Every structure is written in structure tokens, then in C-alpha cells.
Amino acid sequence: MSVATNITVEFTRDLALINRLVNRPEIYEGAVDDHGPKRGAVDLVKWLGTSFWTVLVRRGAEVGGFFLVKGRKWGTWEIHTNLLPMLSGVEKQAALRALQDLLFAQPGCERLSSYVPRCNRAGATFAVKVGFTFDALPAPDWVKHGV
């Protein structure tokens, strides 16, 4: 059964809006670990540089969160999901499906991946629910100072 939603996604460079969203407690707690900036002080450009895109999620006129997208290796784009709890599970799934359509329509996007911090159980559950698979948990990355 398909449920209609009023969810849309769009690329945005309104980083003031995105910074306000990432500093909200509902998003900050799942998006920033102990080694990141303090809540209220997150500035994505200062923290991550400019090598990312932001995709705004709307439910009608309301802002429901955003996706942060970074290029990883040729053809692979990494998604970081930052959705507000005001969205229902069905709406969050609709947002991710709309994001997939938007990103796969871009030249050079062949694969989408997502990094979910170990502390974000809700994020990991959501990733599996919408069809992501885990290659490794945690991801096989080198970490500065072994942290």
C-alpha cells in the first residue's frame, strides 16, 4: 500500500539554515560525536570545509531536516541523514527515496553509501529499513589518535 506524502527534497546552499538545523538538539545528538564542535557552535563549512552538498527536506512549507552529501571515491556519494522527529517514518522513507532519485540523476553518481555512528541506533535501524546494507561496522577507516 502506498501512502502519499507531501515530502520534497532540493539542493540548497543556505548554510545559515543548515547550521541552525544541525545545532538543534534533535539533530546534533545523532550527528556530532564527542570530538566535534559543541552544540550551538557547529558551522559546517568551518568543520567540514566546502566539499559537501546539502539537500533540504520539506514537508509542504515546513523544513523537516536535511541530508549532507559528500563525494567519497569515484562514483560513490556518502549520505548523512539529519531528519527532525516531526517527520513520520513513512515521510522519512519518502525523503530518502526522493533523495535517491535526485542524486542518481546527477552525473557521476553510481553508488550511495551512508556512515552511521555507532551511538546512533535509530540511524542504523533507519538505514537498514530503507535498504542500505552494511559492508562493515564500524567502517574500516583509519582514525587520528586511534579514537
Side-chain angles (χ1 to χ4, degrees), residues 12-24 42-45 52 54 56 63 66:
T12 183
R13 290 308 287 173
D14 185 350
L15 295 179
L17 171 60
I18 298 300
N19 284 335
R20 284 194 306 276
L21 288 170
V22 79
N23 281 291
R24 289 182 61 157
V42 177
D43 179 326
L44 289 177
V45 173
F52 64 89
T54 49
L56 196 61
V63 173
F66 70 98

Side-chain angles (χ1 to χ4, degrees), residues 40-115:
V42 177
D43 179 326
L44 289 177
V45 173
K46 288 181 184 172
W47 190 28
L48 301 174
T50 57
S51 62
F52 64 89
W53 302 277
T54 49
V55 178
L56 196 61
V57 176
R58 292 188 185 276
R59 177 174 67 191
E62 297 177 287
V63 173
F66 70 98
F67 295 101
L68 186 132
V69 182
K70 291 184 63 98
R72 290 293 278 177
K73 53 188 172 188
W74 189 91
T76 300
W77 294 8
E78 182 178 290
I79 301 167
H80 295 266
T81 303
N82 302 281
L83 300 176
L84 292 168
M86 65 179 259
L87 297 179
S88 70
V90 169
E91 290 172 322
K92 290 175 181 177
Q93 290 177 38
L96 190 57
R97 281 192 300 277
L99 177 73
Q100 290 170 331
D101 291 344
L102 178 68
L103 296 182
F104 281 134
Q106 305 307 309
C109 182
E110 301 294 327
R111 181 175 191 237
L112 300 175
S113 71
S114 183
Y115 170 79

